[in-house]
Amino acid sequence: MADLAAHAGVSEATVSRVLNDKPGVAASTRQAVLTALDVLGYERPSKLKRNSAGLIGLVVPELTNPVFPMFAQVIETQLAAGGFTPVLCTQTPGGVHEDEYVQMLLARGVSGIVFVSGFHADTRASVDRYTQLRDRGLPIALVNGYRDGIDATFISHDDVAAMHLAVRHLRDLGHTRIGFATGPSRYVPVQRRVAGYRAAMADVPGVDLDELVSTTLFTIEGGAAAARTLVEAGATAVIAGSDVMALGVLRAATQLGLTVPGDLSVIGGDDVPFMSFIDPPLTTVRMDVNAMAEAAVTAVLEEIAGEKVEHREYLFEPELILRRSTAPLAR
């Protein structure tokens, strides 16, 4: 009762009246308590249970990268608040394919699908799978990965701006040999970040940018491998394509006998939980997961409701979070 009252900003007596379905409570207050009930994970009393307005599919990559559970949690909470039941479909290497998940969701009569970093982010993958869904009139939202030819809502992190923030910070600290460790180059966000990195570094004299970009895997091991390559190329600072990769960069620095940030400055990406608790706390470029997830859900639900939705890409601004993994270049 206390948890619900605190979350909804009402008294425990008001919570009691709502849970017992008593009159005398304003509709907005009643809804605030019910929303708190759902958000905090409590089961509704049987008399207050509502029928689902329908199923919404949520297709995400593996959950080992903490940014994807962050998206899933916010999207599922927003869908539940809108009266829909989310169906989480998680892809794993060698597991169920995205297209198989989509066929399963269609067979269950879903009202819409939200895709997070799916095949729409892979430039080698066909967009036909998405155009076919749109031809059926199915509302979809595609998060992090824009492709031409799909009449749908795209929600993206501004990867170019993210790189400008990271590079500018390191250059202000005196670094000129700034390396970039990222995932496979076939992905749209990677291509955009590389373009942003090159633009931000274009006026640095005497620096071979080709040897300061390392594309590996979006894993700890990939970050470590990229860091070793970049340090060998003379990098005094490394920007990682994700916080998970940044953990690999930190590991490689320790193995190479380097201190962070004394010998090597490191910047991550996403700002997933616990990055402020590692040693040293990680400077990173925050992705606005909450706003992006809410926008994706809003676009799908509005289209389901028959409202006119402008199908375009919406870019969400990054934020540089300064901690202790970056420092001025040692002279």
Side-chain angles (χ1 to χ4, degrees):
M1 295 278 284
D3 289 345
L4 293 170
H7 193 280
V10 299
S11 68
E12 291 188 32
T14 299
V15 172
S16 177
R17 295 188 67 82
V18 172
L19 295 183
N20 288 289
D21 202 22
K22 299 293 185 181
V25 180
S28 58
T29 301
R30 186 180 299 274
Q31 185 57 51
V33 173
L34 294 177
T35 299
L37 198 71
D38 296 333
V39 169
L40 295 178
Y42 292 108
E43 185 175 353
R44 291 191 181 202
S46 57
K47 66 178 69 175
L48 298 179
K49 288 185 177 178
R50 60 188 174 188
N51 295 324
S52 172
L55 303 176
I56 301 288
L58 171 56
V59 183
V60 300
E62 82 291 336
L63 299 180
T64 52
N65 186 332
V67 75
F68 297 128
M70 290 169 63
F71 270 110
Q73 181 175 358
V74 179
I75 290 172
E76 289 187 333
T77 299
Q78 292 296 314
L79 289 174
F84 286 81
T85 300
V87 181
L88 178 62
C89 301
T90 305
Q91 300 182 78
T92 56
V96 180
H97 192 275
E98 178 180 310
D99 293 339
E100 294 174 305
Y101 273 132
V102 168
Q103 291 307 311
M104 177 195 74
L105 292 170
L106 292 176
R108 283 160 176 75
V110 293
S111 302
I113 304 176
V114 177
F115 295 89
V116 178
S117 298
F119 282 120
H120 62 283
D122 187 342
T123 58
R124 297 182 185 178
S126 171
V127 300
D128 290 348
R129 52 177 52 85
Y130 304 110
T131 57
Q132 289 169 6
L133 292 176
R134 293 299 300 137
D135 289 343
R136 297 170 63 113
L138 187 75
I140 63 174
L142 302 146
V143 179
N144 275 344
Y146 176 80
R147 301 286 297 280
D148 285 326
I150 306 174
D151 181 30
T153 298
F154 290 87
I155 305 296
S156 298
H157 178 62
D158 192 336
D159 296 296
V160 172
M163 294 305 299
H164 278 273
L165 283 177
V167 170
R168 185 185 309 122
H169 171 59
L170 292 170
R171 291 186 61 178
D172 287 345
L173 293 174
H175 297 274
T176 56
R177 297 196 62 80
I178 301 169
F180 179 37
T182 188
S185 58
R186 68 177 185 271
Y187 293 113
V188 173
V190 171
Q191 294 176 0
R192 288 179 167 182
R193 290 196 181 199
V194 170
Y197 165 82
R198 289 183 174 277
M201 293 285 291
D203 61 338
V204 179
V207 175
D208 184 353
L209 297 182
D210 290 335
E211 67 177 10
L212 288 175
V213 175
S214 178
T215 53
T216 56
L217 299 173
F218 281 117
T219 61
I220 291 177
E221 293 76 16
R228 287 189 283 268
T229 299
L230 295 171
V231 169
E232 185 176 339
T236 62
V238 173
I239 303 168
S242 70
D243 288 338
V244 170
M245 291 192 77
L247 293 177
V249 175
L250 296 176
R251 173 191 289 180
T254 299
Q255 293 171 341
L256 293 170
L258 302 175
T259 63
V260 176
D263 300 313
L264 184 71
S265 286
V266 180
I267 296 181
D270 301 336
D271 193 29
V272 300
F274 312 121
M275 289 302 104
S276 62
F277 298 99
I278 64 174
D279 186 22
L282 185 67
T283 293
T284 189
V285 180
R286 175 178 292 165
M287 180 186 296
D288 195 347
V289 171
N290 286 350
M292 293 171 65
E294 291 173 7
V297 171
T298 298
V300 170
L301 296 190
E302 286 182 349
E303 194 162 346
I304 291 173
E307 299 180 29
K308 183 175 178 57
V309 177
E310 184 181 359
H311 291 155
R312 48 160 289 187
E313 183 180 27
Y314 298 88
L315 291 177
F316 285 75
E317 292 186 4
E319 180 183 1
L320 181 65
I321 306 300
L322 296 176
R323 297 193 179 106
R324 297 207 306 271
S325 63
T326 54
L329 176 67
R331 300 295 179 183

